[in-house]
């Protein structure tokens, strides 16, 4: 949740600015590939949206796709998580955590997205997570695995099924220099990474269970 009006104003301005920019080729609608989580986050966000954050899909647009904010995804997840927690909605909290871990789109295959550094999330569970990176970018395999395992830990901490962290995974690596910038993404808005079996899991079920067991030992 972000209560400062300048932050809210900047998000609104960035959205308007995005509409005015020319269309640049990108992996759209990759942003809808995990649609089931966007739908739940949207519902949670609409319970209380003091900063007037736009639809969750805009938090997954990369800079080349018309959005020049690096923290909109985190802000959206943080507010949705806050609302779901206040409502006692574990499913909503889990969806917000997974949404925070989804890959943000970028302008070309192999280009990593910029991390959010200017704003700190109010919920430590959200603050502990960063977004998946393009699978063809440098070090993406190790980076995305670490993100998935941390996500599993945070999901378990709120009472969710840590195995759901595997659903935050992205696509198989595309070819560097692909002129379409599409890579191996899909192009329908019904959660196509699942319906077309394109999801590449970053960890094994046993590795997720090990994270869960370590968390139990700490508790």
């Amino acid at each position: 949740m972000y209560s400062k009006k300048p932050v809210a104003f900047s998000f609104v301005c960035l959205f308007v600015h995005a509409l005015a920019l020319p269309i640049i080729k990108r992996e759209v609608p990759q942003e809808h590939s995990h649609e089931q989580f966007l739908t739940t986050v949207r519902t949670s966000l609409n319970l209380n949206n003091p900063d007037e954050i736009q639809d969750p899909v805009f938090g997954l647009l990369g800079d080349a796709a018309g959005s020049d904010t690096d923290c909109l995804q985190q802000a959206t997840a943080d507010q949705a998580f806050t609302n779901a927690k206040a409502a006692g909605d574990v499913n909503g909290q889990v969806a917000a955590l997974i949404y925070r871990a989804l890959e943000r789109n970028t302008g070309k295959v192999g280009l990593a997205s910029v991390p959010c550094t200017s704003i700190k999330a109010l919920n430590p569970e959200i603050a502990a997570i960063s977004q998946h990176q393009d699978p063809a970018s440098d070090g993406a395999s190790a980076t995305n695995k670490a993100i998935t395992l941390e996500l599993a830990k945070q999901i378990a901490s709120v009472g969710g099924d840590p195995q759901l962290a595997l659903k935050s995974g992205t696509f198989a690596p595309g070819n560097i220099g692909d002129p379409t910038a599409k890579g191996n993404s899909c192009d329908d808005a019904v959660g196509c990474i699942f319906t077309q079996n394109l999801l590449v899991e970053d960890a094994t079920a046993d590795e997720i269970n090990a994270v869960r067991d370590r968390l139990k030992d700490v508790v």
Side-chain angles (χ1 to χ4, degrees):
M1 180 175 66
Y2 298 87
S3 59
K4 294 183 179 179
K5 290 300 181 183
V7 174
F9 179 74
S10 66
F11 286 154
V12 173
C13 288
L14 286 167
F15 172 65
V16 173
H17 174 64
L19 296 180
L21 289 175
I23 296 175
I24 301 175
K25 60 186 178 182
R26 65 193 193 278
E27 296 171 324
V28 171
Q30 175 184 319
E31 293 84 16
H32 290 284
S33 59
H34 297 73
E35 186 67 19
Q36 67 192 79
F37 302 114
L38 273 70
T39 298
T40 303
V41 166
R42 185 178 299 114
T43 298
S44 297
L45 180 64
N46 288 339
L47 293 175
N48 181 32
N49 189 7
D51 293 327
E52 300 179 353
I53 296 172
Q54 298 295 326
D55 191 274
V57 72
F58 293 107
L60 301 180
L61 293 173
D63 294 345
S67 172
D68 55 0
T69 175
D70 300 324
C71 292
L72 182 54
Q73 179 183 12
Q74 177 182 281
T76 303
D78 203 30
Q79 184 64 59
F81 185 92
T82 293
N83 295 347
K85 184 176 181 179
D89 180 2
V90 172
N91 184 54
Q93 293 174 67
V94 170
L97 291 167
I98 293 174
Y99 168 83
R100 177 62 188 99
L102 297 181
E103 179 190 353
R104 279 183 62 214
N105 209 342
T106 57
K108 62 182 180 180
V109 174
L111 179 63
S113 59
V114 178
C116 172
T117 57
S118 61
I119 300 173
K120 183 177 177 61
L122 295 182
N123 295 286
E125 298 89 348
I126 295 294
I129 302 168
S130 58
Q131 68 269 20
H132 272 69
Q133 294 296 344
D134 185 300
S137 62
D138 291 342
S141 179
T143 296
N144 290 342
K145 181 174 184 176
I147 290 169
T148 297
L149 294 178
E150 181 61 37
L151 174 60
K153 175 182 175 182
Q154 298 306 325
I155 290 175
S157 74
V158 300
D161 178 2
Q163 293 293 337
L164 290 173
L166 294 173
K167 291 191 173 184
S168 69
T170 187
F171 303 91
N175 295 319
I176 302 295
D178 178 356
T180 70
K182 184 177 180 179
N184 290 310
S185 63
C186 50
D187 58 1
D188 67 65
V190 293
C192 54
I193 198 168
F194 304 116
T195 61
Q196 297 183 29
N197 296 317
L198 297 175
L199 176 70
V200 175
E201 296 182 345
D202 302 296
T204 66
D206 287 343
E207 288 172 323
I208 297 292
N209 287 334
V211 169
R212 178 201 60 198
D213 293 342
R214 286 196 296 271
L215 187 62
K216 287 181 178 179
D217 291 340
V218 171
V219 175

